[in-house]
């Protein structure tokens, strides 16, 4: 079996509040493998975003171990963590956060330009990824000229632009109607399988969660794997 792209061991996260410490993650263990699509469900406030932020090196867990491609990233300084985020991790959010003055191709090319790719190579790879997502005819359209589903596909392409090993998505279809949501999810699933990226997707959409390889519920700070026949919470 392949080695996990993402490995979490004993991850905890406690926030300081006026009422004292609030612990939202309590010893989370999780492995995600190449080409695997893993769903993360749970009510609002259960800690889904905290788990994604710890996995994506946006926040440091209070305790526990985070490994990406076998590398323990917990002790790295911020410069090294930023380098890993740029090269190995892609993020997709509920709202696309596209730059309105850039067209679809240049929105996708931007992370590659930041990572040091030439303009020509960044645009070439952006065109390739957008075409794979069904946007080959929309490369030079600005976000305002795209539908909601198209904008989210551009955001997915941008997250995959640097060919990351790990894709983290926080309610990536939460702002879309059901039909568009299904279409965008299918595009995301197909690219996950094609590229071999490991994907962790937080969602409230139980129908979509049912089509993922595995699904975990975050409840009282702990992860519980849900079987296909009981993916309800």
């Amino acid at each position: 079996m392949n080695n996990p792209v993402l490995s979490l061991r004993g991850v905890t996260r406690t926030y300081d509040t006026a009422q004292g410490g609030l612990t939202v993650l309590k010893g989370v263990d999780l492995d995600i493998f190449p080409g695997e699509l893993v769903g993360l469900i749970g009510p609002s406030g259960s800690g889904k975003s905290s788990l994604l932020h710890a996995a994506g090196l946006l926040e440091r867990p209070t305790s526990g171990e985070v490994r990406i491609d076998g590398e323990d990233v917990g002790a790295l300084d911020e410069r090294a963590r930023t380098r890993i985020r740029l090269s190995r991790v892609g993020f997709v959010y509920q709202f696309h956060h596209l730059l309105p003055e850039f067209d679809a191709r240049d929105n996708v090319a931007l992370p590659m330009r930041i990572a040091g790719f030439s303009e020509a190579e960044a645009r070439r790879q952006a065109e390739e990824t957008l075409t794979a997502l069904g946007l080959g005819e929309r490369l030079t359209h600005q976000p305002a000229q795209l539908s909601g589903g198209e904008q989210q596909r551009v955001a997915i392409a941008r997250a995959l632009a640097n060919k990351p090993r790990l894709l983290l998505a926080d309610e990536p279809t939460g702002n879309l109607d059901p039909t568009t949501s299904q279409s965008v999810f299918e595009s995301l699933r197909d690219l996950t399988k094609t590229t071999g990226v490991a994907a962790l997707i937080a969602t409230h959409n139980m129908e979509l969660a049912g089509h993922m390889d595995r699904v975990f519920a975050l409840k009282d700070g702990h992860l519980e794997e849900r079987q296909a026949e009981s993916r309800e919470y």
Side-chain angles (χ1 to χ4, degrees), residues 57 71 76-89:
L57 312 189
E71 180 180 1
L76 297 178
D77 62 25
E78 286 306 316
R79 178 174 293 183
R81 288 164 65 87
T82 298
R83 186 170 62 248
I84 289 174
R85 282 197 301 271
L86 280 172
S87 62
R88 298 194 219 171
V89 184

Side-chain angles (χ1 to χ4, degrees), residues 99 102 105-115 122 126 158 161-162:
L99 296 176
F102 285 12
R105 178 180 57 188
D106 285 340
N107 263 286
V108 175
L110 183 60
M112 288 181 281
R113 296 288 287 134
I114 293 172
R158 180 181 58 191
N162 282 340

Side-chain angles (χ1 to χ4, degrees), residues 164-176:
R165 297 279 294 149
L166 175 66
L167 179 69
L168 302 171
D170 198 353
E171 300 288 350
T173 63
N175 200 38
L176 304 174

Side-chain angles (χ1 to χ4, degrees), residues 59-172:
E59 296 180 5
R60 292 182 186 270
T62 304
S63 64
E65 185 178 273
V66 178
R67 289 183 176 270
I68 295 180
D69 281 331
E71 180 180 1
D72 185 352
V73 297
L76 297 178
D77 62 25
E78 286 306 316
R79 178 174 293 183
R81 288 164 65 87
T82 298
R83 186 170 62 248
I84 289 174
R85 282 197 301 271
L86 280 172
S87 62
R88 298 194 219 171
V89 184
F91 296 90
V92 182
Y93 299 98
Q94 178 175 351
F95 300 99
H96 51 75
H97 299 301
L98 300 177
L99 296 176
E101 68 273 22
F102 285 12
D103 62 23
R105 178 180 57 188
D106 285 340
N107 263 286
V108 175
L110 183 60
M112 288 181 281
R113 296 288 287 134
I114 293 172
F117 286 80
S118 69
E119 181 177 354
E121 178 62 16
R123 283 187 164 187
R124 186 193 68 78
Q125 290 196 32
E127 290 176 5
E128 181 181 289
T129 306
L130 286 165
T131 298
L133 283 165
L135 294 175
E137 303 297 320
R138 313 288 275 172
L139 299 175
T140 59
H141 288 64
Q142 292 178 319
Q145 299 171 300
L146 302 173
S147 69
E150 288 171 337
Q151 290 173 354
Q152 197 65 337
R153 282 192 178 89
V154 174
I156 292 169
R158 180 181 58 191
L160 295 170
N162 282 340
K163 302 188 184 306
R165 297 279 294 149
L166 175 66
L167 179 69
L168 302 171
D170 198 353
E171 300 288 350

